[in-house]
Amino acid sequence: MDDSTSRIYLSSPHMGGKELDYIHDAFKKNWIAPLGENVDQFEKNLQDYTGRSHAAVVTSGTAAMHLGLILCGLQAGDEVICQSLTFAATANPIRYQGATPIFIDSEPETWNMDPQLLEHAILDRMEKNGETAGKPKAIIVVHLYGMPAKVDDILKVARKFDIPVIEDAAEALGSSAGGKRCGNFGELSVLSFNGNKIITTSGGGALLGDQKELISKARFLATQARDKAPHYQHSELGYNYRMSNIVAGIGRGQIKVLDEHIAARRSNHDYYFEQLNGNWLDSDSAETGQGIGFKARMATSGIYFLKEPEGHFSNRWLTTVLVNPQETGGVTREDIRQALEEENIECRPLWKPMHMQPLYSDFPYYGNGISDKLFECGLCLPSGSNLSSSDRQRIVSVIHDLLD
Ligand SMILES: *Cc1c(COP(=O)(O)O)cnc(C)c1O
């Protein structure tokens, strides 16, 4: 296929060039398994980048979340507060432990967990189930699409009730809020290096924290929880979750180009904003509690973008837009998605909230309608750091044809 019809992906792997050097090095020293220098150095890279004191690299972001919840002492029957608008991998590990997720809706300024609903939910759980027994064991906050959540407000609520926060920063490596990088908020943070993330090791993840004992415990649990003994002895339930030295070599190469990837993804976002005659979502509507604020400029396209709130820096992992059919002459999100698909261009609706998922619809949910609305009219546009300028032109011209 020639360039003008070949498939454009939503977010594809983008190697920097140095990855193979680290893999070759591991081969040369026969450090194929189990651990080794690449693992140690990649962990150090992640600590340096995020500002965290300790990091353990593992097989996936999902595994990191599972370990994080175990470290919070999560047991069957416990409750965990979790953002509803997210990928299922945020919530599934709660179920691995036999615990119950309590889903919380988003606020309109970052599309992440609403701090007021969070407080309301905690109080309500404690009222229903008792002051001590009813207190959730952890709070999982997500920075969707790279946009940092309102972490200060969330942490304030969490401190008030003395509940640990696990930060799902899988989509937000390189983002920051108030000058502090994502991956460095709350008790523990989760990163992912899955194939579509801003840097990838083909598959992988990390658990970060500031307490040495916690991250050491994570490493212990991730390597089958072997007691110190010459024979194989186990007192605790372990897992096989540790990242291999080969895979970590890819990570060492990728972290070198992370800042370039962020710049490229932010440039995609700005390009779409300009070319699609974008509007910023009205953040005042958040203050007045009016939900998603469509407030168009004069010559409007009906395509809305999410502004970075004061002090927030997004890596713009994926460029997301909201489509308001009342201003597009009836063209919906789905019309745009299908038109792009017909031209062999991949794009996706926003995450389907957990409270709307068949797997999770019976679990407690504290809502305000925001994530339902985002799912209804939101779209993720191709956002890879390796998109060419002709790719980007191809994408916007399909949308222009549809809107004209
Ligand atoms: C990708 C992702 C995960 C899971 O990471 P894996 O490495 O794929 O297991 C978790 N949460 C969010 C928000 C993600 O986007």
Side-chain angles (χ1 to χ4, degrees), residues 50-275:
T50 58
R52 277 287 198 193
S53 313
H54 303 281
V57 290
V58 292
T59 46
S60 69
T62 311
M65 182 61 76
H66 189 195
L67 292 170
L69 288 168
I70 294 169
L71 293 175
C72 291
L74 191 65
Q75 294 184 344
D78 289 339
E79 293 188 347
V80 174
I81 299 234
C82 181
Q83 186 165 319
S84 182
L85 185 68
T86 186
F87 179 40
T90 308
N92 288 345
I94 301 170
R95 299 292 299 137
Y96 299 169
Q97 289 301 100
T100 303
I102 309 292
F103 293 112
I104 307 285
D105 212 338
S106 298
E107 38 77 14
E109 279 180 275
T110 75
W111 300 355
N112 295 305
M113 185 181 282
D114 185 320
Q116 284 175 351
L117 272 180
L118 168 65
E119 179 154 12
H120 168 71
I122 295 170
L123 289 169
D124 194 56
R125 298 323 290 172
M126 287 166 68
E127 194 181 312
K128 285 200 168 79
N129 305 324
E131 286 277 314
T132 319
K135 199 164 88 168
K137 270 280 158 54
I139 297 165
I140 305 176
V141 60
V142 192
H143 311 295
L144 282 183
Y145 306 114
M147 182 64 80
K150 293 189 170 179
V151 266
D152 285 350
D153 297 339
I154 304 259
L155 286 170
K156 231 175 261 162
V157 175
R159 297 288 171 265
K160 186 165 157 185
F161 295 95
D162 195 23
I163 302 173
V165 170
I166 303 180
E167 178 199 30
D168 182 345
E171 303 179 0
L173 186 56
S175 301
S176 61
K180 190 166 168 173
R181 286 216 164 117
C182 293
N184 195 359
F185 291 102
E187 274 65 26
L188 292 165
S189 305
V190 168
L191 296 175
S192 167
F193 313 111
N194 193 22
N196 58 2
K197 298 292 166 23
I198 195 153
I199 60 168
T200 180
T201 57
S202 73
L207 185 70
L208 296 88
D210 291 323
Q211 282 178 267
K212 185 164 193 262
E213 318 80 71
L214 280 185
I215 301 304
S216 301
K217 183 75 189 276
R219 292 197 184 99
F220 168 77
L221 293 172
T223 46
Q224 307 286 21
R226 282 180 63 187
D227 293 342
K228 277 204 173 66
H231 49 274
Y232 278 75
Q233 177 173 301
H234 308 273
S235 315
E236 280 188 71
L237 186 60
Y239 302 85
N240 186 2
Y241 279 170
R242 203 70 162 112
M243 180 182 278
S244 90
N245 198 47
I246 301 295
V247 164
I250 309 177
R252 287 180 78 184
Q254 284 276 281
I255 203 134
K256 289 194 185 315
V257 288
L258 172 56
D259 287 337
E260 287 166 41
H261 287 194
I262 296 167
R265 287 184 188 254
R266 286 178 61 86
S267 139
N268 290 335
H269 174 273
D270 295 351
Y271 177 84
Y272 286 127
F273 186 88
E274 216 162 88
Q275 295 293 317

Side-chain angles (χ1 to χ4, degrees), residues 313-336:
F313 176 86
S314 170
N315 66 11
R316 297 290 189 191
W317 171 58
L318 295 186
T319 294
T320 54
V321 296
L322 298 186
V323 181
N324 182 10
Q326 279 159 1
E327 295 169 79
T328 55
V331 174
T332 63
R333 179 285 304 282
E334 214 30 35
D335 295 330
I336 296 178

